[in-house]
Amino acid sequence: MIRRRQLARTAAALLAAVLGATGLVAVETTAASAAVRTVYYDASRAGEFRTNFDQAASIWNSSVSSVRLAPRTPGNITIYVDTGWPRAQTTSLGNGRVWMGWQAVDMGYDRTRIATHEIGHILGLPDRRTGLCSDLMSGSSAPVSCKNAYPSAAEAYRVNQLFGGTLAAPATASYSWSDEGDVTPMVVGGRPATENYPWMVYTSGCTGTLIKANWAVTARHCPTPTSVRVGSINRTSGGTVVRVTRGVNHPTIDVKLLQLASSVGYAPAPIPTTSGAVGTATRIIGWGQTCPQRGCGSAPTIAHELDTSIVSDSRCLGINGPYEICTNNTNGNSGACYGDSGGPQVRKINGVWNLIGATSRAGNNNSTCATGPSIYGDLPSIRTWINTQVGGLPVA
């Protein structure tokens, strides 16, 4: 017996030597593997949309590795159909209810994209109204023509983190395909405006910037208002209230132009040809809650401002680099928050504030504001498009 053990050890040593000489490595394997959680969906009430939910399950199964969707009645996810907006209610990670609403289908939104999006909520993903077709959770903010039903790499990674146990599961929540009633970002950790910025535009729940006598810019995910207040840092008084005739959405990023019914006599903010390099000093301005948790406070009467800077795109998740700006959360605890969407990011050029960005969203997918950098639409990068839409911009 001892002789056999010695021979075995000698043979193993010789094998290791041979493998080492050839550049190969002997690897010891185990049968252990990461557990994959199965989430069952009940599409028995989905009617003609059942195929779409089966396709959605297949898409998720091909996109993530920590969870598998399978049909069963009853299931962890119960699917309904009604005449309202598509929506989802989560009771815990992997459990909840989904409605396929005819209101979005009748508008022309892709059925499978809707189904995959709503299941995404049950898998722990919040809405991120980026306006990008490549983002599954951009929902109704993407063009109606968008057919993409696959999650982005960042979205799939987040689901894997949630079901893999490396990321805390979100709390119970409700989501709607429509962005009506959504709360949008505001400035946290800033100060009341120190200047009477003549190009500030208050849009009732969002912020905007005057870019021409009869045009303003805001975020695409903000509802198109019936009127705006221009030329005052006070959202309740001063300036001029003017009617809005239409909104024009940018086809790619979270930017919307608002055409005003009449021209106003305030100086618009010039849009330069470039936004600036990493490290460029900027300022963000907006109205809204100044505490970081959703719903923790009301909008201030006077707009707030915060001095910030441009940081590397690598610090913002899901950023569309050529057309968006990653902006620092000053001191690690200050930045845009709920209510500031569409608001201006400006930088000084020859002593004049120039408009380079429109507030879009958090850059770390965190619902608590100012915990990471924020993402802004890069207006200089789409200056040609803006110039065409408004019939010529003022000279920067």
Side-chain angles (χ1 to χ4, degrees):
M1 180 68 72
I2 294 175
R3 175 69 174 170
R4 288 179 181 174
R5 288 176 181 169
Q6 289 174 336
L7 288 172
R9 282 197 292 267
T10 301
L14 288 171
L15 177 60
V18 171
L19 290 173
T22 58
L24 300 175
V25 179
V27 179
E28 183 175 325
T29 61
T30 68
S33 60
V36 177
R37 178 176 163 186
T38 299
V39 171
Y40 295 99
Y41 65 96
D42 178 2
S44 61
R45 302 173 180 84
E48 66 182 271
F49 299 106
R50 180 165 192 155
T51 299
N52 301 110
F53 281 97
D54 289 338
Q55 291 171 340
S58 178
I59 287 170
W60 277 114
N61 288 342
S62 68
S63 301
V64 298
S65 58
S66 60
V67 61
R68 177 180 175 274
L69 291 163
R72 190 181 74 179
T73 302
N76 304 97
I77 307 171
T78 305
I79 300 165
Y80 303 91
V81 178
D82 67 12
T83 59
W85 288 108
R87 57 199 185 277
Q89 291 180 348
T90 62
T91 54
S92 62
L93 184 63
N95 294 278
R97 295 180 291 177
V98 164
W99 285 262
M100 171 61 83
W102 272 102
Q103 195 160 350
V105 175
D106 288 341
M107 290 178 66
Y109 286 102
D110 184 77
R111 298 180 178 200
T112 302
R113 176 175 167 83
I114 295 172
T116 315
H117 171 97
E118 298 304 336
I119 287 179
H121 287 313
I122 309 299
L123 300 183
L125 297 179
D127 282 315
R128 292 181 66 247
R129 302 193 190 280
T130 63
L132 301 178
C133 184
S134 57
D135 289 340
L136 177 65
M137 304 314 292
S138 64
S140 64
S141 70
V144 174
S145 59
C146 175
K147 305 298 182 185
N148 173 50
Y150 283 80
S152 67
E155 291 166 335
Y157 178 70
R158 184 175 178 85
V159 170
N160 280 329
Q161 284 185 305
L162 287 166
F163 282 88
T166 60
L167 191 66
T172 301
S174 297
Y175 303 94
S176 173
W177 181 261
S178 167
D179 59 9
E180 295 174 0
D182 273 10
V183 185
T184 51
M186 275 252 167
V187 174
V188 169
R191 58 184 178 267
T194 58
E195 301 179 34
N196 188 28
Y197 306 105
W199 27 258
M200 287 298 292
V201 176
Y202 179 66
T203 70
S204 184
C206 285
T207 305
T209 310
L210 189 70
I211 57 172
K212 191 176 180 179
N214 63 331
W215 284 90
V217 63
T218 186
R220 176 178 178 153
H221 71 259
C222 293
T224 300
T226 56
S227 64
V228 295
R229 185 182 298 276
V230 184
S232 176
I233 58 173
N234 187 319
R235 65 184 176 87
T236 63
S237 64
T240 300
V241 176
V242 60
R243 187 168 58 86
V244 174
T245 59
R246 65 181 178 126
V248 181
N249 291 329
H250 188 269
T252 304
I253 61 172
D254 188 18
V255 168
K256 176 187 290 184
L257 302 177
L258 301 175
Q259 185 172 20
L260 310 183
S262 58
S263 296
V264 295
Y266 302 98
I271 300 176
T273 55
T274 60
S275 55
V278 170
T280 297
T282 67
R283 178 173 291 180
I284 60 174
I285 311 162
W287 287 278
Q289 65 179 59
T290 55
C291 49
Q293 287 78 29
R294 182 187 289 269
C296 60
S298 58
T301 302
I302 303 299
H304 276 55
E305 66 184 31
L306 175 70
D307 292 328
T308 57
S309 63
I310 297 175
V311 295
S312 171
D313 288 349
S314 63
R315 294 188 56 190
C316 284
L317 297 175
I319 191 170
N320 185 350
Y323 301 104
E324 293 181 318
I325 303 168
C326 187
T327 301
N328 190 35
N329 56 324
T330 306
N331 298 322
N333 60 3
S334 302
C337 190
Y338 299 106
D340 190 42
S341 283
Q345 179 180 20
V346 294
R347 72 180 181 104
K348 275 196 171 178
I349 300 176
N350 297 324
V352 177
W353 288 117
N354 278 237
L355 178 65
I356 63 169
T359 312
S360 177
R361 61 194 185 278
N364 63 350
N365 293 335
N366 196 321
S367 60
T368 300
C369 302
T371 55
S374 297
I375 297 175
Y376 293 73
D378 188 334
L379 300 181
S381 74
I382 59 169
R383 194 178 192 281
T384 299
W385 176 82
I386 296 173
N387 189 69
T388 299
Q389 299 301 318
V390 305
L393 283 167
V395 177

